[in-house]
Amino acid sequence: MRRAGALTVTAAAVLCLSSGCGVPPSGVIEVGEPATGMTLSKAVYFLDAESSLHAVARPKIPDTNPVAAAVRELLAGPTPTESEYLTTALPPDLPQPEITVGTATILIRFPKDTPRLTPAALHQLTCTTTLATPRTPRPRPAPPSGAAAAPQQTPPTIHITIPNTPPQPTPTCP
């Protein structure tokens, strides 16, 4: 008798699952572009064991003057926990630069006694600054389906002036 009860329950479960729960099929629904994931905007870049850039969240970077705050966080270096797997190419005694944020340009000027920076250090500084910079939205063309287009973000132009360091080409940031 017990076996017959188990078979009845199993048959009922299979019948219920195969019925589709009463949800009618629908056609294709246009919703615009696919999601690309969350973007990290309050972070700094350090280097991993292969000298590749690695973004590290810094949620305490304020929304007011985020570029200067992000550069300060970068110059402070990795936390003790982060130091176990990340490093920085920036010298430990690097002075805080003067930072001017314009609508399309950011100027970062280090004082006269600043030591020479390596390309890896400039890469960290440029990418951290780029990430921290508020973007100016600009309209994108509407997709053919007539759905509203999301605004594109315009990256700023960053100029870094460091005495004793030759100008470097602008690196590509992740």
Side-chain angles (χ1 to χ4, degrees):
M1 186 72 170
R2 199 178 249 182
R3 186 177 186 126
L7 284 174
T8 304
V9 170
T10 303
V14 169
L15 182 62
C16 183
L17 289 174
S18 66
S19 71
C21 301
V23 177
S26 66
V28 175
I29 300 171
E30 294 286 332
V31 293
E33 295 183 31
T36 58
M38 294 177 54
T39 57
L40 190 59
S41 62
K42 293 184 177 190
V44 296
Y45 282 99
F46 293 120
L47 302 172
D48 62 18
E50 290 82 37
S51 296
S52 297
L53 288 179
H54 182 81
V56 179
R58 290 291 189 264
K60 292 184 179 179
I61 292 177
D63 291 333
T64 57
N65 204 356
V67 174
V71 170
R72 267 194 310 279
E73 289 286 327
L74 178 65
L75 296 182
T79 66
T81 302
E82 294 164 351
S83 294
E84 294 176 14
Y85 59 97
L86 295 173
T87 187
T88 182
L90 295 162
D93 57 349
L94 194 63
Q96 184 70 31
E98 176 187 327
I99 299 173
T100 306
V101 178
T103 54
T105 304
I106 297 173
L107 302 174
I108 299 175
R109 286 185 217 83
F110 282 90
K112 190 164 57 170
D113 58 343
T114 300
R116 183 181 195 126
L117 297 184
T118 65
L122 289 170
H123 200 184
Q124 281 183 263
L125 186 60
T126 301
C127 293
T128 295
T129 302
T130 301
L131 186 63
T133 304
R135 304 290 194 264
T136 305
R138 64 180 173 175
R140 287 182 17 191
S145 67
Q152 265 182 329
Q153 302 296 314
T154 304
T157 302
I158 299 172
H159 297 283
I160 302 173
T161 304
I162 306 165
N164 305 316
T165 301
Q168 302 284 321
T170 302
T172 302
C173 297

